[in-house]
Amino acid sequence: MCGYLGDGAGRWPAVHVKDAARLYRLAVERAPAGAVLNAVGDEGVPVREIAEAIGRHLNLPARSLPAEEFGGMLIRLLSTDMPASSTITQDLLAWKPTHPGLIEDIEQGHYFS
């Protein structure tokens, strides 16, 4: 079972590891001292969509589960809406995410054997 809390509408920001790596390099080379940067490609992917995409690859249903089914910190993470933006970072360093978003990346199947 691929579970999510409530209606699964809480959103998580995400970025492809290759985009994050490129931003890290740009930050070291060009960011002003003390700059705060956000490595965000997807501003907010609903947790339900993440669970459904994973479930498709594992041939498991995705559904809402009670909080007790999740341990400790996962409850807070899965129930919090955390959209984020990288607009300022993109403008500051002329960085733009170019790799697949989280759902597209999951759908490619390379996380699953």
Side-chain angles (χ1 to χ4, degrees):
M1 177 89 39
C2 292
Y4 50 88
L5 286 173
D7 63 2
R11 296 167 292 167
W12 286 1
V15 67
H16 193 281
V17 67
K18 290 181 180 179
D19 287 322
R22 193 169 84 255
L23 177 58
Y24 188 85
R25 180 185 52 82
L26 289 171
V28 169
E29 293 173 355
R30 294 193 239 160
V36 176
L37 306 172
N38 274 345
V40 175
D42 292 322
E43 291 188 3
V45 182
V47 173
R48 181 180 183 154
E49 289 181 23
I50 298 168
E52 289 170 345
I54 292 169
R56 281 191 291 278
H57 285 276
L58 297 176
N59 294 316
L60 294 171
R63 69 177 176 96
S64 181
L65 297 173
E68 352 10 288
E69 300 254 348
F70 298 94
M73 190 172 161
L74 275 180
I75 294 170
R76 185 170 179 177
L77 287 174
L78 293 173
S79 63
T80 303
D81 190 35
M82 300 180 285
S85 171
S86 63
T87 301
I88 294 170
T89 298
Q90 290 182 39
D91 292 345
L92 179 66
L93 297 177
W95 171 77
K96 182 159 180 66
T98 58
H99 289 84
L102 180 60
I103 300 299
E104 182 182 349
D105 198 36
I106 291 170
E107 296 294 4
Q108 289 179 4
H110 52 262
Y111 294 105
F112 310 94
S113 46

